[in-house]
Amino acid sequence: MTNDSFPSGVRSRPISSQFLILKTTALFVLWILLSASFDWIHLGLGLVLSFTVAWVNSGHSPFVPKFRLWGNILFYLPWLFVKIVQSSLHVSKLILHPSLPIDPRLINVETNLGHHGAVVLLGNSITLTPGTITAEVDRNTLIVHALDEVSEQDVTSKSIESKIAAMFKDEEPDL
Amino acid sequence: MEVMSIICILAGLFFLIVAAIGVIRLPDVFSRSHAVSLTDSLGAFLVLVGVALHEGLSPSMLKIIAVLALLYIQNPVIAHATVRAALRAGLKPWKKEAS
């Protein structure tokens, strides 16, 4: 446990019992869904395990649920999926084309997201879309490898970035 | 339902084959990684959706959805790590010759 390193038994961060219960419940529901067996051994074992995992993790988790942001991300994912399908078809067309008309390039992308989570989301979204891959990240600057002109425009048009910036506009900048 | 699942799996296989062809045809690590990302974005997705449709509403379907979620979280990370390692090792990206 994390608290052993602190003198005179001072807790680094008090465990919120509400949060502990929330975490245990979430893990237990996941256990039930995945095990799909309802005899006492499975349920009891699941309850003990999910409580243990929640308890072990609660001491050093700065993780606070932000439901608004998660809701935004939930609406963002289908939009991203449409983009993924479009660029998948484009990349398949490039690969199957007899003359292989690719023109790879490295591009520098300057963003002004100013938020760790936002930059991670942007980098992952760019990598998930076939035809563009985030090769390097340094704070607000990304180096992206693009397969051709059309793929490059996915990134340079800033359509993904503006979506993410809109989702994170209420968050405190931490970059 | 069964027909839908067969169509999904066949479409997924098509994208997997295209990705394999891409890995062979494309010139360097960077562009090949684009072909590989095609496998997980549509290939594996369509195959897994096909299997999920075949299973119907059951615990197996939930497990497949969990696999899909993990796939979509982890694959960009792995692709990014590979490409970044290649870039830091000093590999020069292949460029089209100026004609």
Side-chain angles (χ1 to χ4, degrees):
Chain A
M1 290 300 296
T2 52
N3 298 323
D4 294 347
S5 54
F6 286 84
S8 66
V10 181
R11 292 205 107 95
S12 55
R13 186 184 282 111
I15 297 173
S16 138
S17 60
Q18 235 181 349
F19 192 40
L20 193 60
I21 292 168
L22 188 72
K23 235 179 188 171
T24 309
T25 319
L27 286 170
F28 190 50
V29 168
L30 186 68
W31 170 279
I32 291 176
L33 288 179
L34 289 185
S35 77
S37 37
F38 295 97
D39 54 90
W40 287 111
I41 297 175
H42 274 93
L43 289 182
L45 196 64
L47 196 61
V48 169
L49 284 177
S50 41
F51 180 76
T52 313
V53 171
W55 183 66
V56 166
N57 280 306
S58 58
H60 46 89
S61 163
F63 188 66
V64 182
K66 295 172 179 163
F67 293 109
R68 180 96 157 278
L69 185 60
W70 290 1
N72 282 338
I73 290 176
L74 214 61
F75 281 106
Y76 164 74
L77 291 178
W79 179 83
L80 181 68
F81 187 71
V82 173
K83 272 208 106 65
I84 290 175
V85 173
Q86 284 170 352
S87 48
S88 291
L89 292 174
H90 176 69
V91 171
S92 317
K93 208 174 69 193
L94 283 182
I95 291 173
L96 292 179
H97 198 284
S99 63
L100 204 62
I102 59 166
D103 184 11
R105 73 272 312 271
L106 279 175
I107 43 178
N108 253 312
V109 185
E110 290 283 338
T111 72
N112 41 19
L113 292 169
H115 197 278
H116 276 114
V119 174
V120 168
L121 193 57
L122 176 65
N124 269 1
S125 305
I126 288 174
T127 310
L128 259 181
T129 5
T132 49
I133 279 195
T134 316
E136 190 76 75
V137 187
D138 181 32
R139 297 175 78 80
N140 274 324
T141 313
L142 285 83
I143 299 175
V144 175
H145 187 266
L147 195 54
D148 77 334
E149 186 89 43
V150 183
S151 305
E152 183 191 339
Q153 264 149 25
D154 277 352
V155 182
T156 47
S157 68
K158 305 246 171 201
S159 56
I160 301 178
E161 193 198 327
S162 56
K163 277 253 177 196
I164 292 174
M167 293 193 307
F168 277 83
K169 67 177 186 299
D170 297 332
E171 302 293 314
E172 196 109 326
D174 61 359
L175 250 180
Chain B
M1 205 53 120
E2 206 66 354
V3 177
M4 277 298 288
S5 95
I6 290 170
I7 291 173
C8 274
I9 292 176
L10 284 180
L13 285 178
F14 169 76
F15 282 106
L16 289 174
I17 291 168
V18 169
I21 295 172
V23 170
I24 296 168
R25 287 193 78 191
L26 291 170
D28 72 338
V29 181
F30 299 96
S31 42
R32 279 176 176 166
S33 64
H34 295 300
V36 174
S37 75
L38 202 62
T39 34
D40 39 76
S41 63
L42 270 188
F45 173 81
L46 284 170
V47 170
L48 283 173
V49 166
V51 176
L53 285 175
H54 174 79
E55 285 293 323
L57 208 59
S58 68
S60 321
M61 192 187 195
L62 281 168
K63 283 172 198 170
I64 291 166
I65 291 172
V67 168
L68 265 179
L70 285 176
L71 206 66
Y72 268 66
I73 294 168
Q74 288 175 348
N75 266 313
V77 179
I78 296 164
H80 166 66
T82 314
V83 168
R84 191 174 75 152
L87 196 67
R88 288 194 175 178
L91 283 182
K92 292 273 170 295
W94 181 88
K95 279 224 160 53
K96 198 165 81 172
E97 301 87 27
S99 49

